[in-house]
Amino acid sequence: SEDIVAEVGELVGKGYKDITLLGQNVNSYGKDAPDEHGNTFDFADLLERLDKIDGDYYLRFMTSHPKDASSKLIDVMSRSKHIARQFHLPVQSGSDRVLTRMNRHYDTSKYLGIVDYMRKKIPDVTLTTDIIVGFPGETEEDFNATLDIIEKVRFDMIYSFIYSPRKGTLAAEMEDRIPDEVKKARFERLLELQNSIALEKNLPLVGKVLKVLCDGESKNNPEVFSGRTEGNKIVMFDKDIARKGDFVNLKIVRAETFALYGEAAD
């Protein structure tokens, strides 16, 4: 942990504004290394130490596994100064039967409990997830359960994937494959639902002033700059408002499904 704290401190000292702790199951950090008394220095403890580093920066992390998304971690985030109010929490499927076949070690009840506690402690949290469509054996009922959890949680954004076999995994040996045309049709239905929710989540931001970190020229339109909010939402704005690497306060004047548009706040 000392090495991580030292590295983040060095980055902040050099002027870095957006720092991400990256791990396969990043919030499982420390669980495999108890001291002689059986105590662990876990991921929440690490975040609490990092948050004490002085500076103007966002601290992010990904990817979290629901099995280790503890109330302690959420509590640390809720009272922090630098940890972004953003949580990427992959659900993968809304069907408990499919989650068991995926060996995910949680069910939808536990997942929804985490979401409820998070929104209670951090009401403005931006919540994103991963979803796999067409996992072997996924029935229409299973897929509808996934649509149902999207409706219940109302994610700001999802990263969705059509299942494809990966050599060496148990799923690759499963025989009850879903036809490609069924997977594609389900994928389109899922995107249609999520896109409507994403727009619904963005529209109330019109008229609000948000702190945005300027990333520089937009990849899609070099005539404008793009930046990201604390919740990692993309904001487009005129080039003369800020320089790359600056934090800037922007008044949101338009909202679309995948981006916000801002102007200089008074």
Side-chain angles (χ1 to χ4, degrees):
S1 62
E2 288 80 6
D3 292 339
I4 299 171
V5 173
E7 182 179 359
V8 172
E10 182 180 357
L11 292 172
V12 172
K14 290 179 178 179
Y16 284 78
K17 302 287 182 65
D18 201 323
I19 299 167
T20 301
L21 305 178
L22 181 66
Q24 183 66 34
N25 292 333
V26 69
N27 57 330
S28 304
Y29 173 88
K31 292 189 66 177
D32 58 345
D35 61 22
E36 64 273 17
H37 304 294
N39 301 314
T40 58
F41 183 86
D42 64 15
F43 189 63
D45 296 321
L46 177 63
L47 286 179
E48 199 159 36
R49 283 192 61 186
L50 293 173
D51 187 52
K52 294 177 181 177
I53 297 172
D54 289 333
D56 191 11
Y57 62 94
Y58 287 143
L59 185 64
R60 306 183 190 275
F61 57 88
M62 67 181 303
T63 294
S64 293
H65 197 296
K67 68 183 178 67
D68 291 323
S70 65
S71 56
K72 176 183 175 183
L73 171 59
I74 295 168
D75 290 343
V76 167
M77 289 182 64
S78 71
R79 59 177 181 261
S80 73
K81 181 180 178 181
H82 300 105
I83 304 170
R85 268 56 171 171
Q86 172 208 355
F87 210 112
H88 184 70
L89 192 65
V91 66
Q92 305 297 4
S93 172
S95 164
D96 289 341
R97 192 183 73 85
V98 173
L99 291 175
T100 298
R101 287 168 64 85
M102 288 179 172
N103 197 30
R104 290 292 290 173
H105 299 289
Y106 59 85
D107 58 18
T108 52
S109 177
K110 178 176 180 178
Y111 186 92
L112 291 172
I114 295 168
V115 171
D116 286 345
Y117 186 76
M118 192 181 308
R119 288 204 162 128
K120 176 183 176 183
K121 300 291 290 189
I122 317 170
D124 60 342
V125 67
T126 298
L127 192 59
T128 58
T129 197
D130 294 339
I131 289 178
I132 295 175
V133 174
F135 191 81
E138 180 189 72
T139 65
E140 187 68 15
E141 183 180 1
D142 292 326
F143 176 69
N144 285 332
T146 296
L147 297 182
D148 184 57
I149 204 167
I150 291 174
E151 286 272 20
K152 287 178 179 176
V153 176
R154 310 196 76 73
F155 298 100
D156 290 85
M157 184 170 63
I158 65 173
Y159 298 87
S160 49
F161 310 89
I162 294 177
Y163 171 80
S164 59
R166 182 179 295 176
K167 187 176 180 180
T169 63
L170 290 175
E173 306 302 321
M174 296 178 180
E175 296 181 355
D176 44 355
R177 302 287 179 83
I178 309 301
D180 286 346
E181 61 271 20
V182 174
K183 290 191 289 188
K184 291 177 182 177
R186 289 177 180 172
F187 187 70
E188 290 174 2
R189 287 167 59 195
L190 180 137
L191 290 184
E192 182 180 5
L193 172 61
Q194 175 54 37
N195 288 348
S196 67
I197 293 172
L199 179 59
E200 178 189 305
K201 299 278 286 187
N202 281 345
L203 286 174
L205 297 175
V206 174
K208 294 185 179 297
V209 175
L210 302 179
K211 182 179 179 182
V212 175
L213 177 60
C214 178
D215 288 330
E217 289 184 355
S218 167
K219 294 179 181 179
N220 298 322
N221 182 3
E223 299 302 314
V224 299
F225 272 176
S226 69
R228 285 166 294 128
T229 66
E230 182 176 0
N232 221 22
K233 291 179 182 283
I234 295 173
V235 185
M236 315 293 287
F237 54 96
D238 289 339
K239 283 186 172 183
D240 59 356
I241 293 178
R243 298 172 301 175
K244 182 177 180 180
D246 285 347
F247 280 116
V248 59
N249 291 323
L250 297 177
K251 181 179 179 180
I252 304 304
V253 295
R254 181 159 59 97
E256 295 181 355
T257 302
F258 302 110
L260 305 170
Y261 295 81
E263 60 183 25
D266 292 336

